[in-house]
PDB file of all heavy atoms in Angstrom:
ATOM      1  N   TYR U 216      15.862   3.354   1.208  1.00 87.00           N
ATOM      2  CA  TYR U 216      15.385   4.192   0.102  1.00 87.00           C
ATOM      3  C   TYR U 216      13.871   4.359   0.173  1.00 87.00           C
ATOM      4  O   TYR U 216      13.349   5.463   0.081  1.00 87.00           O
ATOM      5  CB  TYR U 216      15.799   3.552  -1.234  1.00 87.00           C
ATOM      6  CG  TYR U 216      15.368   4.323  -2.451  1.00 87.00           C
ATOM      7  CD1 TYR U 216      16.121   5.397  -2.908  1.00 87.00           C
ATOM      8  CD2 TYR U 216      14.215   3.983  -3.143  1.00 87.00           C
ATOM      9  CE1 TYR U 216      15.743   6.111  -4.032  1.00 87.00           C
ATOM     10  CE2 TYR U 216      13.825   4.695  -4.266  1.00 87.00           C
ATOM     11  CZ  TYR U 216      14.589   5.756  -4.706  1.00 87.00           C
ATOM     12  OH  TYR U 216      14.207   6.464  -5.819  1.00 87.00           O
ATOM     13  N   ILE U 217      13.173   3.242   0.375  1.00 87.00           N
ATOM     14  CA  ILE U 217      11.715   3.295   0.470  1.00 87.00           C
ATOM     15  C   ILE U 217      11.296   4.061   1.718  1.00 87.00           C
ATOM     16  O   ILE U 217      10.367   4.866   1.677  1.00 87.00           O
ATOM     17  CB  ILE U 217      11.116   1.875   0.439  1.00 87.00           C
ATOM     18  CG1 ILE U 217      11.324   1.269  -0.947  1.00 87.00           C
ATOM     19  CG2 ILE U 217       9.632   1.906   0.794  1.00 87.00           C
ATOM     20  CD1 ILE U 217      10.900  -0.179  -1.074  1.00 87.00           C
ATOM     21  N   ALA U 218      11.997   3.849   2.829  1.00 89.00           N
ATOM     22  CA  ALA U 218      11.672   4.568   4.068  1.00 89.00           C
ATOM     23  C   ALA U 218      11.844   6.074   3.878  1.00 89.00           C
ATOM     24  O   ALA U 218      11.039   6.869   4.388  1.00 89.00           O
ATOM     25  CB  ALA U 218      12.552   4.067   5.207  1.00 89.00           C
ATOM     26  N   GLU U 219      12.868   6.482   3.144  1.00 89.00           N
ATOM     27  CA  GLU U 219      13.077   7.904   2.872  1.00 89.00           C
ATOM     28  C   GLU U 219      11.938   8.464   2.024  1.00 89.00           C
ATOM     29  O   GLU U 219      11.430   9.559   2.294  1.00 89.00           O
ATOM     30  CB  GLU U 219      14.402   8.107   2.143  1.00 89.00           C
ATOM     31  CG  GLU U 219      14.676   9.543   1.767  1.00 89.00           C
ATOM     32  CD  GLU U 219      15.917   9.695   0.898  1.00 89.00           C
ATOM     33  OE1 GLU U 219      16.690   8.738   0.783  1.00 89.00           O
ATOM     34  OE2 GLU U 219      16.085  10.785   0.326  1.00 89.00           O
ATOM     35  N   LYS U 220      11.518   7.704   1.012  1.00 85.00           N
ATOM     36  CA  LYS U 220      10.412   8.144   0.172  1.00 85.00           C
ATOM     37  C   LYS U 220       9.114   8.228   0.977  1.00 85.00           C
ATOM     38  O   LYS U 220       8.326   9.155   0.801  1.00 85.00           O
ATOM     39  CB  LYS U 220      10.219   7.212  -1.019  1.00 85.00           C
ATOM     40  CG  LYS U 220      11.372   7.235  -1.999  1.00 85.00           C
ATOM     41  CD  LYS U 220      11.491   8.598  -2.657  1.00 85.00           C
ATOM     42  CE  LYS U 220      12.591   8.614  -3.680  1.00 85.00           C
ATOM     43  NZ  LYS U 220      12.790   9.909  -4.293  1.00 85.00           N
ATOM     44  N   VAL U 221       8.889   7.282   1.870  1.00 87.00           N
ATOM     45  CA  VAL U 221       7.703   7.302   2.729  1.00 87.00           C
ATOM     46  C   VAL U 221       7.738   8.525   3.633  1.00 87.00           C
ATOM     47  O   VAL U 221       6.729   9.216   3.804  1.00 87.00           O
ATOM     48  CB  VAL U 221       7.593   6.004   3.558  1.00 87.00           C
ATOM     49  CG1 VAL U 221       6.552   6.132   4.655  1.00 87.00           C
ATOM     50  CG2 VAL U 221       7.278   4.828   2.659  1.00 87.00           C
ATOM     51  N   ALA U 222       8.892   8.826   4.198  1.00 89.00           N
ATOM     52  CA  ALA U 222       9.023  10.010   5.064  1.00 89.00           C
ATOM     53  C   ALA U 222       8.734  11.288   4.280  1.00 89.00           C
ATOM     54  O   ALA U 222       8.052  12.190   4.788  1.00 89.00           O
ATOM     55  CB  ALA U 222      10.421  10.053   5.675  1.00 89.00           C
ATOM     56  N   ASN U 223       9.230  11.364   3.046  1.00 86.00           N
ATOM     57  CA  ASN U 223       8.954  12.537   2.205  1.00 86.00           C
ATOM     58  C   ASN U 223       7.469  12.665   1.920  1.00 86.00           C
ATOM     59  O   ASN U 223       6.908  13.767   1.952  1.00 86.00           O
ATOM     60  CB  ASN U 223       9.731  12.457   0.892  1.00 86.00           C
ATOM     61  CG  ASN U 223      11.218  12.623   1.087  1.00 86.00           C
ATOM     62  OD1 ASN U 223      11.670  13.130   2.106  1.00 86.00           O
ATOM     63  ND2 ASN U 223      11.983  12.180   0.110  1.00 86.00           N
ATOM     64  N   LEU U 224       6.815  11.542   1.641  1.00 85.00           N
ATOM     65  CA  LEU U 224       5.386  11.543   1.360  1.00 85.00           C
ATOM     66  C   LEU U 224       4.589  11.949   2.600  1.00 85.00           C
ATOM     67  O   LEU U 224       3.652  12.740   2.514  1.00 85.00           O
ATOM     68  CB  LEU U 224       4.944  10.173   0.862  1.00 85.00           C
ATOM     69  CG  LEU U 224       3.484  10.015   0.466  1.00 85.00           C
ATOM     70  CD1 LEU U 224       3.150  10.956  -0.681  1.00 85.00           C
ATOM     71  CD2 LEU U 224       3.194   8.581   0.075  1.00 85.00           C
ATOM     72  N   GLU U 225       4.960  11.412   3.754  1.00 87.00           N
ATOM     73  CA  GLU U 225       4.275  11.770   5.000  1.00 87.00           C
ATOM     74  C   GLU U 225       4.451  13.256   5.310  1.00 87.00           C
ATOM     75  O   GLU U 225       3.526  13.911   5.788  1.00 87.00           O
ATOM     76  CB  GLU U 225       4.779  10.921   6.149  1.00 87.00           C
ATOM     77  CG  GLU U 225       4.296   9.486   6.080  1.00 87.00           C
ATOM     78  CD  GLU U 225       4.915   8.602   7.146  1.00 87.00           C
ATOM     79  OE1 GLU U 225       5.886   9.028   7.806  1.00 87.00           O
ATOM     80  OE2 GLU U 225       4.417   7.477   7.312  1.00 87.00           O
ATOM     81  N   ASN U 226       5.623  13.794   5.027  1.00 87.00           N
ATOM     82  CA  ASN U 226       5.870  15.221   5.234  1.00 87.00           C
ATOM     83  C   ASN U 226       4.973  16.060   4.318  1.00 87.00           C
ATOM     84  O   ASN U 226       4.374  17.044   4.755  1.00 87.00           O
ATOM     85  CB  ASN U 226       7.343  15.542   4.984  1.00 87.00           C
ATOM     86  CG  ASN U 226       7.678  16.973   5.308  1.00 87.00           C
ATOM     87  OD1 ASN U 226       7.072  17.586   6.178  1.00 87.00           O
ATOM     88  ND2 ASN U 226       8.647  17.520   4.604  1.00 87.00           N
ATOM     89  N   LEU U 227       4.870  15.657   3.058  1.00 84.00           N
ATOM     90  CA  LEU U 227       4.014  16.363   2.112  1.00 84.00           C
ATOM     91  C   LEU U 227       2.552  16.311   2.559  1.00 84.00           C
ATOM     92  O   LEU U 227       1.845  17.321   2.540  1.00 84.00           O
ATOM     93  CB  LEU U 227       4.150  15.761   0.711  1.00 84.00           C
ATOM     94  CG  LEU U 227       3.240  16.347  -0.364  1.00 84.00           C
ATOM     95  CD1 LEU U 227       3.614  17.799  -0.639  1.00 84.00           C
ATOM     96  CD2 LEU U 227       3.327  15.518  -1.624  1.00 84.00           C
ATOM     97  N   ILE U 228       2.108  15.143   2.993  1.00 84.00           N
ATOM     98  CA  ILE U 228       0.726  14.991   3.441  1.00 84.00           C
ATOM     99  C   ILE U 228       0.470  15.848   4.675  1.00 84.00           C
ATOM    100  O   ILE U 228      -0.574  16.493   4.784  1.00 84.00           O
ATOM    101  CB  ILE U 228       0.411  13.504   3.706  1.00 84.00           C
ATOM    102  CG1 ILE U 228       0.358  12.749   2.387  1.00 84.00           C
ATOM    103  CG2 ILE U 228      -0.909  13.354   4.463  1.00 84.00           C
ATOM    104  CD1 ILE U 228       0.273  11.251   2.536  1.00 84.00           C
TER     105      ILE U 228
END
Side-chain angles (χ1 to χ4, degrees):
Y216 180 83
I217 292 174
E219 178 187 347
K220 294 295 183 183
V221 168
N223 291 341
L224 182 61
E225 287 174 348
N226 185 30
L227 176 66
I228 290 171

